[in-house]
Amino acid sequence: MTQQPPAGTGLGFGALFTKHVVSARYVAGAWSGFELRAFEDLRFSPAAMVMHYGQAIFEGLKAFRSTAADEVLIFRAADCARRFDRSATRMAMPPLPAGMFVDAVRTLVEADAAEVPSAPGSSLYIRPVMVADEPSLAVRPSIEFSFLVLASPVDSFFASGRSMIDAYAQRDHIRAALGGTGDVKCAGNYAGAMAAKADAQAHNCDEVLWLDAREHRDVEEFGAMNCFVVRGEDDHAELITPGLGGTILPGHTRATVITLAGRRGLTVREEPIELSQVLDPYGPVSEVFACGTAAGVAPVHRILTDTGEERTIGDRPGPVTSLLAADYVAVTHGELEPEPDWITKIAG
Ligand SMILES: Cc1ncc(COP(=O)(O)O)c(C=O)c1O
C-alpha cells in the first residue's frame, strides 16, 4: 500500500513507498518501453521462475534534496546502471537497453519529487529490481522478465536510530567465494546471508562482518556495506579497504569515499585486512567504518567474534571517519563539487 510519509523524521527504512512505480517487461527476446504506474500489488503466476529458482537482481541508490536549490539530486545513477547490467549478465538475465535504467529512475523521481523528504539524514531510497517471471518449473534461465523501480522515503538505515555500528564476525557462514555471485547484486546473496544476520542480531550487533571464505582470516565487507579501516593517526593516517577480488560488492559509496579521501590528501590502499589486526587494541588500526548507499559512512563502535574476542574501536566516530562522513553528506546534497556523472538533477 502506498502511504503518505509523515513529514520529517519517523520514516524508518523501506517501510513507506511513494505513489508510483516504473515498469517494463522482457518477452520474445526484447524489452518493452517502460511505463509509470500507480504503486500497487503485482500479479504473478504461482510458477513464476523467480519464486522457485531465485533469478532476481536489484540496485539501491538515493535521491537527496539539495541544500541550496529547489532540486532533487540522484546520486550515481549511471554507475548503478552499469552494475545492474553486470548483475544481469552474471545471472543470465537480459541487460536493459542503453539509457533505460537512468531514464526509468529519473521518471519515477520526477513523478514523486514531492515525496523526497528534507529532514537531515533523510532521502528517497530508490530500488530498481529485475525478476524472472516466466511461468515454468524448468531448471534453465527464464525467457521472460519484469523490471521495476520503486522508491521509499527513508530516514536512517538503522531502525534503532543508532549512529554507530556493532558488527559480528563468525566462521559458520560465508558470504561469497571466487567464481560465485558475491561481486554482483543478486537477491540470493542476501537470502543466503539472513541466518548470519540473525546470528549478529542475537549477539546484539547491527551487522555481520564477513570474512574471506577460504581461511576466515581477512575482513571482506559488512552485510550491506563495504569496510574501511584507518591506520595511524593525524598526518600519518591512511585508509585501507579490501581490494575487489571478485567476492566483494564494488560499492559506489566505497568508490566515492576513495575519491573524497584522495581530495583530502589521504593515502588509500586496497589491500587485505586481517581480522586479528582490527581486533588488536595495541595495533595500528585506529578507526573502522562501514559505507553503503543505505547508511552512508557509518562508524564502527565495536566488533565481536564467535570465539568471544571483542574490541571497542571507539565510543565516538574518529576524526578521519567524521571528515569523510561529512564530505559524503556534502557531495550528495550538492554542497561539494561532484565528479562528472555523479549527480542527476531533477527540479524539486
Ligand atoms: C553486500 C554489499 N556490500 C556493499 C554495499 C555498498 O554498496 P553501495 O555503496 O553501492 O550502496 C552493499 C549495498 O548495496 C551491499 O549490499
Side-chain angles (χ1 to χ4, degrees), residues 63-74 113 116-118 330-336 343-348:
F64 301 86
R65 239 173 225 295
S66 154
T67 317
D70 195 13
E71 285 171 339
V72 171
L73 311 175
I74 307 173
V116 180
S118 55
V331 81
T332 50
H333 288 75
E335 293 164 25
L336 200 61
I343 299 262
T344 308
K345 280 186 190 169
I346 306 284

Side-chain angles (χ1 to χ4, degrees), residues 4-16 115 117 119 122-123 152-156:
Q4 205 45 37
T9 54
L11 298 170
F13 187 89
L16 301 171
E115 296 183 70
S122 68
S123 57
S152 174
V154 299
D155 261 339
S156 144

Side-chain angles (χ1 to χ4, degrees), residues 158-321:
F158 295 100
S160 61
R162 298 212 314 243
S163 57
M164 293 187 78
I165 291 175
D166 287 357
Y168 185 63
Q170 44 100 314
R171 287 132 180 115
D172 285 347
H173 300 101
I174 58 156
R175 177 180 174 276
L178 267 183
T181 57
D183 64 345
V184 298
K185 228 166 149 50
C186 63
N189 286 349
Y190 299 83
M194 291 303 175
K197 174 89 181 193
D199 256 8
Q201 288 174 326
H203 288 85
N204 279 327
C205 288
D206 308 282
E207 272 295 338
V208 180
L209 177 55
W210 291 107
L211 305 178
D212 75 281
R214 196 182 278 269
E215 299 186 61
H216 298 143
R217 186 192 59 197
D218 296 336
V219 166
E220 294 234 307
E221 60 181 315
F222 296 95
M225 289 173 280
N226 291 112
C227 176
F228 282 82
V229 306
V230 179
R231 260 195 329 227
E233 284 169 21
D234 303 325
D235 288 350
H236 302 294
E238 57 180 19
L239 279 179
I240 324 289
T241 190
L244 301 174
T247 56
I248 292 176
L249 191 80
H252 301 134
T253 319
R254 175 187 183 277
T256 303
V257 164
I258 290 174
T259 302
L260 295 175
R263 288 187 189 175
R264 288 284 185 181
L266 286 159
T267 301
V268 185
R269 296 185 198 286
E270 296 183 61
E271 58 187 47
I273 302 169
E274 288 189 24
L275 178 64
S276 59
Q277 269 194 18
V278 180
L279 292 172
D280 181 359
Y282 306 105
V285 172
S286 55
E287 301 175 37
V288 180
F289 65 87
C291 68
T293 297
V297 172
V300 172
H301 165 242
R302 195 169 65 116
I303 298 175
L304 253 67
T305 78
D306 56 343
T307 50
E309 291 167 283
E310 176 174 344
R311 179 181 171 198
T312 297
I313 308 290
D315 286 328
R316 59 182 68 139
V320 176
T321 307

